[in-house]
């Protein structure tokens, strides 16, 4: 069953992107990693919203991975910052 659908947009991004969750999902944790697996940022809750805006403009351009822990599931999405 496809109960969970997370959207990351725009991707590739130019410095900022958004993560959108289904209305009924609760985020436990959000982490952002660089291509080498180094934790760059984050543990921000969505707080009554199902959209999180992420700003990468203080980091170098490149490939990142956002790890989102939702309920009992973990999702990882690749983000390209160009």
């Amino acid at each position: 069953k496809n109960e969970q659908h997370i959207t990351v947009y725009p991707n590739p991004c130019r410095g900022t992107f958004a993560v959108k969750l289904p209305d009924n999902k609760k985020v436990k944790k959000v982490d952002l990693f660089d291509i080498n697996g180094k934790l760059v940022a984050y543990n921000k809750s969505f707080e009554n919203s199902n959209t999180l805006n992420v700003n990468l403009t203080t980091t170098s351009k490149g490939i990142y991975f956002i790890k989102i822990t939702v309920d009992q599931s973990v999702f990882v999405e690749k983000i390209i910052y160009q």
Side-chain angles (χ1 to χ4, degrees):
K1 67 187 189 189
N2 187 12
E3 57 182 290
Q4 324 226 21
H5 185 71
I6 293 178
T7 308
V8 178
Y9 62 92
N11 193 9
C13 74
R14 300 217 177 267
T16 59
F17 65 92
V19 179
K20 184 165 176 28
L21 292 178
D23 291 334
N24 61 340
K25 296 301 168 192
K26 299 283 186 255
V27 172
K28 290 186 177 172
K29 190 173 178 189
V30 177
D31 294 309
L32 188 69
F33 298 91
D34 68 14
I35 191 72
N36 299 312
K38 178 181 162 215
L39 182 62
V40 176
Y42 265 66
N43 190 351
K44 184 175 181 180
S45 73
F46 279 61
E47 294 187 27
N48 301 324
S49 171
N50 66 334
T51 304
L52 173 69
N53 294 305
V54 181
N55 187 334
L56 293 178
T57 57
T58 59
T59 63
S60 302
K61 292 181 179 180
I63 296 174
Y64 293 86
F65 294 92
I66 189 164
K67 178 181 171 186
I68 304 161
T69 305
V70 179
D71 298 331
Q72 305 302 316
S73 304
V74 175
F75 297 89
V76 177
E77 282 285 337
K78 179 167 81 171
I79 305 295
I80 300 169
Y81 173 21
Q82 61 185 22

